[in-house]
Structure formats: structure tokens, C-alpha cells
Amino acid sequence: MNQNYEKLILLDFDHTVFNTTKYKNKLKQVFAEKFDIDPETFSKHREYVKQCCVVVDFDNFVESFKEVDSMKLHYTMEGVLREHASEWIFTDVIPFMEQHKDEYEIKLLTHGDKEQQEEKITHSNLPHYIDWIISTSSKDEAIADLVYKYEEIHFFDDKAKNIDNVKQAFPKITTYFVQRPEDKPYADQPSSCGCDDFVVEGLKII
């Protein structure tokens, strides 16, 4: 965007903007129907890749299924996102963006595999003015070079550790711990400092 903003909203993507639980469940269904990979096996492979490779990388994940053609799995995952990603954007997201787009620059800040995250975001059909940062480093490190550009920043995330890292590194940032009733897999993970300014069930500036 060409406009110079003094205020910034940073939105985590998975479980904050995008219902990743629905995405994961759809993949389980499709893998079972097309490749006879049962949900338990799917989950074990996904967890293995998360542990070994920092993030769930498209290629590492599909290649972990030695008995199935990895390219077929890869194309299947891409097809699921092309067909369904826009359905999994939470209903309050677009209205929130439209409400604040004139006053705030709005960026997605997501931790993950660049290919998979770009596929999710691109096929989600978010407004054209939304930019994004994809990083495998911690979120405080990912935004270190841009924080000084803004007088006011609001950060939304569903993981306590991300809230803690950002707030401790940049105390001026207002932090929102997002706990959506229908999609909050990390809600019970402990905070090291109680660094969230607000706990919210959806997107709103307080």
C-alpha cells in the first residue's frame, strides 16, 4: 500500500484469521478417501514433521508418507486450499479489516512454511490491501525492523508464547490473546509472564 500509516494491526493467521482446525480435518477426510490414510496416521505424520522441521512444511509432510506418491499428496493439499480456503476465514475477519483499513495498516504475521502459508492466504481471498509476513523465526524477531515505524500497534495471536515474546520485546505493542470458542487448540498452553493485554474471542480493538 502506498499510504503512510502511523498505526498498525498485526494479525496471526492460523486459528486467528483462518480456521486451521477445519482445514486439518478436511485434509484428514480427503487423505482417507483418496489414499486410505487413516486420521490417526495423518496426525502422527503431521506431529512428526512439526517436531523435526520447526513448521509443517508441504514437502516434508507429504514425503513422510513413503507408501504414497508424494506429488499426488502435494497436489491434493493444494487442491483442498484452492477449493475451500475462503470458506475457512472467520466471519468477523473481513468486517474487522474493512472497519479499520483507513486508519490502520493491516498485516498478517504468520509462522510457518512459506509455500503452505502463501497457498492458504492467497486462496483465502482476503482484501487486496492486506499484506503479510511469513517467517520461521520468532514473531518478535520477524517484526523487529518495522516496529519503530508506527506510533501504535495492535497484535493478535492465539499462542501465549508469541504474545509473551512480542510484549517483552516491544512493551508499547497492545497484545490480544485470541481464544475463538470453535478453534483454540493452544488456549491452555501457559504464559511465562501473563503478557496479554486483553483476552478476546474474536477480532476487536480495545
Side-chain angles (χ1 to χ4, degrees):
M1 297 182 70
N2 295 324
Q3 183 174 343
N4 291 320
Y5 290 91
E6 295 181 349
K7 300 178 181 181
L8 173 66
I9 294 172
L10 292 168
L11 299 173
D12 169 53
F13 187 70
D14 290 295
H15 310 292
T16 298
V17 167
F18 181 82
N19 193 324
T20 310
T21 297
K22 286 188 175 182
Y23 167 52
K24 181 177 67 175
N25 289 340
K26 184 64 175 180
L27 284 181
K28 285 182 180 180
Q29 175 191 337
V30 172
F31 273 40
E33 292 173 351
K34 288 191 173 184
F35 306 106
D36 200 27
I37 296 172
D38 63 82
E40 183 179 357
T41 300
F42 176 98
S43 296
K44 286 181 179 179
H45 281 250
R46 189 172 184 274
E47 190 59 32
Y48 165 75
V49 173
K50 286 175 70 176
Q51 295 299 321
C52 82
C53 311
V54 182
V55 296
V56 181
D57 176 277
F58 253 10
D59 294 330
N60 287 333
F61 179 62
V62 298
E63 289 169 4
S64 72
F65 296 92
K66 303 301 183 184
E67 69 281 7
V68 183
D69 186 330
S70 61
M71 290 305 297
K72 289 182 179 179
L73 293 175
H74 195 289
Y75 291 142
T76 296
M77 292 178 71
E78 289 180 341
V80 167
L81 287 172
R82 282 194 302 271
E83 185 173 353
H84 297 287
S86 62
E87 303 168 13
W88 297 326
I89 296 297
F90 292 108
T91 57
D92 64 336
V93 170
I94 304 300
F96 176 84
M97 292 174 171
E98 287 294 299
Q99 178 184 357
H100 296 293
K101 67 179 181 179
D102 294 330
E103 186 177 1
Y104 293 87
E105 185 168 7
I106 305 172
K107 291 180 180 288
L108 303 176
L109 174 60
T110 180
H111 179 266
D113 169 54
K114 187 174 188 293
E115 181 184 7
Q116 181 168 202
Q117 295 307 91
E118 284 190 341
E119 288 280 342
K120 288 181 191 173
I121 294 167
T122 300
H123 295 300
S124 292
N125 295 331
L126 295 171
H128 66 89
Y129 50 82
I130 299 300
D131 196 5
W132 56 81
I133 300 167
I134 300 172
S135 176
T136 56
S137 63
S138 64
K139 292 193 173 180
D140 57 302
E141 293 175 350
I143 63 173
D145 290 338
L146 62 84
V147 169
Y148 73 93
K149 299 177 182 179
Y150 302 90
E151 294 183 0
E152 179 182 319
I153 301 176
H154 299 265
F155 171 62
F156 293 77
D157 203 287
D158 71 304
K159 289 185 179 179
K161 72 173 185 178
N162 292 336
I163 296 286
D164 295 347
N165 289 341
V166 167
K167 190 66 173 182
Q168 289 176 319
F170 309 107
K172 77 170 189 176
I173 294 180
T174 302
T175 56
Y176 299 78
F177 187 17
V178 180
Q179 297 190 19
R180 292 188 179 276
E182 69 273 43
D183 188 26
K184 52 177 183 178
Y186 305 108
D188 295 329
Q189 291 187 357
S191 165
S192 64
C193 60
C195 287
D196 55 88
D197 292 304
F198 302 101
V199 178
V200 293
E201 292 187 349
L203 302 183
K204 60 180 178 179
I205 297 291
I206 300 175

